[in-house]
Amino acid sequence: MLSNLATRDVETLLHPYTQLANHRRTGPLVLERGDGVHVYDADGRPYIEGMAGLWCTALGYSNAELVEAAREQMGRLPFSHLFSGRSHDPAIELAETLKELMPVPTSKVFFCSSGSEANDTQVKLAWYYNNALGRPNKKKIIARKKGYHGVTIASASMTGLPANHLDWDLPLPGFLHVSTPHHYRGAEPGESEEAYSARLAAELEETILREGPETVAAFIAEPVMGAGGAIIPPKGYFPAIQAVLTKYEVRLIADEVICGFGRLGTWFGGETLEMRPDTISFAKAVTSGYVPLGGISIDPPLYEALLGQSEKLGGFGHGTTYSGHPVACAVAIKAIEIYKRDRVIEGAAEKAPHFQRRLSALAEHDIVGEAKGMGLIGGLEIVADKASRRQYDPKAGVSARCVAFAQEEGLIVRYLSGDRVAVCPPLIITREEIDTLFDRLTRALDRTRDWIRAEGLTAVG
């Protein structure tokens, strides 16, 4: 029997990324409030938010300074836009701050409202840039299978997950996908991580040559893959990839929507993994998820091309109503101030070894094949046979069952394709809370193992 709130939800809301028929039967988890790393449901029951919401609430819940920054800005200038040369202090100050933080040469910052919009803008600007340079055929975008870059038509075309393509008539022509950089699943027997990286770089080069270097505009990559399974790239991956991209004048877009602002123990994840992108997409933790905000860095060559085209065409024909929303910018300014003042990112780096030790230990569990991460993010993969790495039938919903057990234990984590479970807590989590998180996840895995045995599930393939 669903509660009144749950019934109202079922009758009124269309939920993203939800099995809609099942949702009508089970109803939602209705959350009422949050504090620190915990959220509380409508009955007052606490949960450790082990996914930082959706990879975003880096500073946890109910941070009074962020709330006050939003309130103060709403009382002064609740809305303005950046169209036609208008501006306001929060957008200017935030752009200045971000320019200083960016690990790549940055001429300007463009604001939008989400990671999807940021990556969609990256595609448009890659096309616009090559038109400006007189290269009208250099328009194809290469991404990776299992990469996640958003849900607009262009960003979903870059996303490499079947659920984002099936029956959506996607990807659009001109969007290509190369192999997932997942050593556990993709490497040949005995192949080292470095050798595997070299093979993936060769595959990328073969793809560019097959399509024609004069037709390939950009390659997009997350430092650590998020929604595709919390997958860590193999050693040497990005330097090997970068050499190919440089050789054929293909721009590298770093999708830092999840990894940016401290997730890997550095301001941007690419710094940890030797990425040298031309441009960066950001969102999520820039405001700790409190207010929607996204954006991209504009490198000097791109800005010069935009400047020339604007003069030639009479304007720069791109932007959205909420680009540089003053409340979002004010909250982001305060969030970055807190990251710096309280050494949040350094603290995340200091806690990461303990987090990773607890995560890695789960690889010894009966049903876990891989448990691997970086910084304060990690993923584990449930397998039916550890030696052969064979899995359960996806229709059995094993990882979904594990996540449900975790919720019953007072922990929110997320299941992803390939029977993977992701963990990505707020950066402010304490060492003691990390231990509680993994204790609860271990109990959820135990209950999942017992459920598998009771159901008589066996490996497929």
Side-chain angles (χ1 to χ4, degrees):
M1 184 72 176
L2 298 181
S3 69
N4 180 50
L5 271 175
T7 300
R8 288 163 55 195
D9 170 280
V10 167
E11 294 305 320
T12 57
L13 286 172
L14 180 65
H15 285 262
Y17 288 101
T18 300
Q19 212 282 18
L20 299 178
N22 187 56
H23 180 72
R24 290 195 64 82
R25 293 187 292 269
T26 62
L29 171 64
V30 180
L31 298 176
E32 188 174 77
R33 65 185 181 92
D35 182 44
V37 302
H38 292 89
V39 290
Y40 298 79
D41 67 20
D43 296 321
R45 186 185 180 202
Y47 305 82
I48 291 178
E49 208 343 327
M51 282 304 298
L54 271 177
W55 327 84
C56 56
T57 53
L59 296 175
Y61 291 83
S62 302
N63 183 292
E65 291 184 84
L66 298 183
V67 173
E68 177 59 21
R71 188 207 63 77
E72 183 181 333
Q73 185 60 46
M74 282 189 171
R76 184 168 61 248
L77 181 67
F79 174 74
S80 187
H81 60 81
L82 302 181
F83 283 39
S84 305
R86 288 195 190 182
S87 196
H88 49 78
D89 283 351
I92 296 167
E93 182 179 348
L94 179 58
E96 290 173 337
T97 300
L98 289 169
K99 276 189 67 174
E100 292 177 1
L101 288 177
M102 287 293 169
V104 296
T106 301
S107 176
K108 304 291 180 288
V109 176
F110 178 84
F111 291 122
C112 54
S113 299
S114 70
S116 290
E117 289 180 17
N119 287 328
D120 194 275
T121 294
Q122 293 281 19
V123 173
K124 291 184 70 176
L125 291 185
W127 293 346
Y128 196 82
Y129 174 69
N130 282 300
N131 284 336
L133 296 183
R135 304 188 298 200
N137 296 321
K138 199 171 178 67
K139 300 293 174 60
K140 294 174 184 174
I141 310 293
I142 300 177
R144 286 100 54 87
K145 295 172 184 175
K146 291 196 173 183
Y148 184 83
H149 304 292
V151 295
T152 63
I153 291 175
S155 64
S157 292
M158 292 189 291
T159 291
L161 296 168
N164 294 93
H165 295 164
L166 293 173
D167 285 345
W168 295 106
D169 293 346
L170 295 174
L172 295 174
F175 290 86
L176 312 169
H177 295 86
V178 292
S179 295
T180 308
H182 189 187
H183 186 265
Y184 178 76
R185 280 289 163 197
E188 300 291 340
E191 187 175 31
S192 70
E193 291 193 28
E194 293 84 353
Y196 180 51
S197 293
R199 180 159 62 85
L200 292 177
E203 179 203 23
L204 174 62
E205 183 166 30
E206 290 165 8
T207 302
I208 292 172
L209 291 172
R210 183 183 68 244
E211 299 295 324
E214 73 283 357
T215 73
V216 180
F219 177 82
I220 187 168
E222 305 157 272
V224 170
M225 288 178 138
I231 295 169
I232 311 302
K235 294 174 184 176
Y237 175 76
F238 281 111
I241 291 294
Q242 192 91 44
V244 175
L245 301 177
T246 300
K247 182 176 180 180
Y248 298 106
E249 293 186 78
V250 176
R251 286 171 64 82
L252 174 57
I253 302 167
D255 182 341
E256 291 270 10
V257 171
I258 287 175
C259 295
F261 303 96
R263 181 52 55 186
L264 303 188
T266 50
W267 279 98
F268 292 93
E271 297 175 84
T272 307
L273 290 162
E274 299 181 82
M275 288 182 79
R276 300 193 311 277
D278 295 281
T279 175
I280 287 173
S281 295
F282 62 88
K284 292 191 184 293
V286 69
T287 65
S288 191
Y290 280 40
V291 186
L293 180 68
I296 69 173
S297 68
I298 306 292
D299 54 285
L302 175 58
Y303 179 67
E304 289 302 315
L306 298 178
L307 196 63
Q309 288 297 92
S310 177
E311 188 168 30
K312 174 184 173 182
L313 301 175
F316 173 61
H318 180 69
T320 58
T321 300
Y322 300 118
S323 297
H325 193 289
V327 177
C329 290
V331 172
I333 290 166
K334 180 58 68 174
I336 293 172
E337 176 188 321
I338 294 169
Y339 290 138
K340 290 179 176 180
R341 183 196 70 209
D342 296 349
R343 298 183 72 254
V344 172
I345 294 171
E346 293 86 346
E350 290 163 6
K351 289 175 284 193
H354 182 62
F355 180 93
Q356 294 301 329
R357 278 194 296 272
R358 290 299 310 262
L359 173 67
S360 297
L362 295 179
E364 301 302 315
H365 196 279
D366 297 349
I367 62 170
V368 175
E370 180 189 48
K372 189 174 183 180
M374 180 175 286
L376 292 184
I377 187 172
L380 61 86
E381 185 166 319
I382 297 174
V383 295
D385 184 84
K386 292 167 75 80
S388 67
R389 303 183 182 181
R390 288 189 300 162
Q391 295 179 295
Y392 294 102
D393 187 335
K395 294 177 183 177
V398 173
S399 59
R401 180 67 63 162
C402 180
V403 167
F405 285 137
Q407 185 173 304
E408 291 178 8
E409 295 289 338
L411 170 65
I412 295 174
V413 287
R414 189 179 182 196
Y415 68 88
L416 301 167
S417 63
D419 271 339
R420 292 186 67 83
V421 176
V423 186
C424 179
L427 300 185
I428 62 165
I429 193 169
T430 65
R431 183 186 177 97
E432 293 73 22
E433 288 166 338
I434 289 171
D435 284 333
T436 302
L437 183 158
F438 282 107
D439 289 347
R440 293 177 183 181
L441 183 53
T442 300
R443 291 198 296 271
L445 287 166
D446 291 344
R447 293 176 64 181
T448 305
R449 176 197 58 209
D450 295 344
W451 172 80
I452 288 169
R453 290 172 179 171
E455 293 292 315
L457 301 182
T458 57
V460 296

